[in-house]
Amino acid sequence: MNVVKRFITYGDADILLVLARSEEGTKDARGLSMFIYDKNNGGVTVRRIENKMGIKGAPTCELVFKNAKAELVGTRRMGLIKYVMSLMNGARLGIMAQSVGLSEAATREAYNYAIERRQFGKAIIEFPAVYEMLSNMRAKTDASRSMLYETCRFVDMYKTLEDISRERKLTPEEKEELKYYSRLADAFTPLGKGMTSEYANQNAYDSIQVHGGSGFMKDYKCERLYRDARITNIYEGTTQLQVVAAIRHVTTGTYLQRIREYEAMPASPELESLKRTLSKMAQMYEKLVEIVTSPKDEEYLDFHARRLVECAGHIIMGHLLLQDANADPEMFRRSAEVYIHYGQTEVIKNYNFVTKSRIEDIAYYKPDLSENA
Ligand SMILES: Cc1cc2nc3c(=O)[nH]c(=O)nc-3n(C[C@H](O)[C@H](O)[C@H](O)COP(=O)(O)OP(=O)(O)OC[C@H]3O[C@@H](n4cnc5c(N)ncnc54)[C@H](O)[C@@H]3O)c2cc1C
């Protein structure tokens, strides 16, 4: 192999898994295979360690491969579509967990600062503008954690069934379950990675805001959290790429079907009004999907894809917090209330945006439009 690879986390490891084009003349994903490289064989050097804005504890390397020997792993042509996708789905769960940790830390730092810092004779947490920020941060953090746990549960379920299938034949019911949970894992992983990493960024931003001028100083932890959070919605696929993976579960109805399952789950009478709000959000979402998909225009769908995926995310994460509040009202009721009201506002905003605007009016940089500018 002779190539340069940038942005490789822990690139100086003893063993490297390398995705490389094995089929001459191909340009698509099916021309890529997976290889394994052993450092003992030589041929790979670290040209430099990248100088990053955050996650400075993890070295990111630029690697130079010069006549490096590597062995094929598994089946040719399956490198990206099977092996890397599988590795990447695992890594996306990892980034979700990283995002939850960052959100939690950002929220705690902001809260602790807000109860100590006094202005105009009061602790700043007493100002509505500040306690609103903190409430939203707590709600987004709790919603992110629930989303992470739910996604992990789906992944555990299908992986366990896959393990069993290696030892014995699955019953027809188990085969159905395997299909059901793999589909949910496939749908929830990009949705969860996209939503929780965006929330980690928003929470880190708000944490600085709660700290005021002090937040801009390196003396406070929120400054590092802000820099560390910035990578979560970029690596293992940017949020835009998570949307590309998630949108088919909008159009094929996976999310809506799961939302219906959550709607059928019991909730205490005190939570009934929140449940009704979630049903109304689901009705708007269903209408929105119909509006965006019915013209059968791919560009139109791509243009609104993120809005549709986010609507599904707000409703699903709202239901997850509702379930948490049902199990432990003291711990989660307030977050459920805050998150569902926040999510409802976002769904209405997206609905209005889609129904009241044309691409031509809002896409300033659309190539065929700017040509005439
Ligand atoms: C600190 C760090 C560590 C990393 N570690 C590793 C590692 O260990 N191994 C590894 O293989 N890689 C690693 N990467 C690479 C990382 O996964 C990529 O940088 C990331 O996936 C984005 O790809 P890109 O940089 O090529 O951006 P691009 O693909 O060029 O994206 C640029 C912009 O275009 C948008 N875009 C691109 N394609 C589409 C599309 N189809 N639809 C909509 N929007 C699109 C993106 O969302 C983004 O906004 C690392 C990167 C960093 C910064």
Side-chain angles (χ1 to χ4, degrees), residues 164-218:
I164 297 173
S165 76
R166 284 186 205 103
E167 284 165 18
R168 65 162 170 82
K169 220 170 159 247
L170 296 180
T171 64
E173 294 79 43
E174 286 170 334
K175 272 191 197 157
E176 275 308 304
E177 262 197 310
L178 173 58
K179 243 169 73 185
Y180 173 76
Y181 285 113
S182 320
R183 189 173 169 79
L184 282 176
D186 196 54
F188 272 52
T189 302
L191 179 66
K193 199 269 186 184
M195 297 292 289
T196 61
S197 63
E198 293 295 332
Y199 285 158
N201 274 279
Q202 291 170 21
N203 286 337
Y205 179 97
D206 283 345
S207 189
I208 291 191
Q209 200 63 22
V210 169
H211 282 73
S214 301
F216 198 62
M217 301 299 130
K218 289 218 174 249

Side-chain angles (χ1 to χ4, degrees), residues 6-9 52 55 60 231 234-238 240-241 244:
R6 288 193 73 195
F7 305 150
I8 305 303
T9 307
K52 309 191 294 280
I55 57 160
T60 307
I231 190 62
I234 295 174
Y235 65 1
E236 298 306 339
T238 59
Q240 287 72 21
L241 267 286
V244 169

Side-chain angles (χ1 to χ4, degrees), residues 6-7 48-56 59-61:
R6 288 193 73 195
F7 305 150
R48 69 189 215 113
I49 308 271
E50 303 287 354
N51 187 11
K52 309 191 294 280
M53 72 183 274
I55 57 160
K56 296 196 182 218
T60 307
C61 305

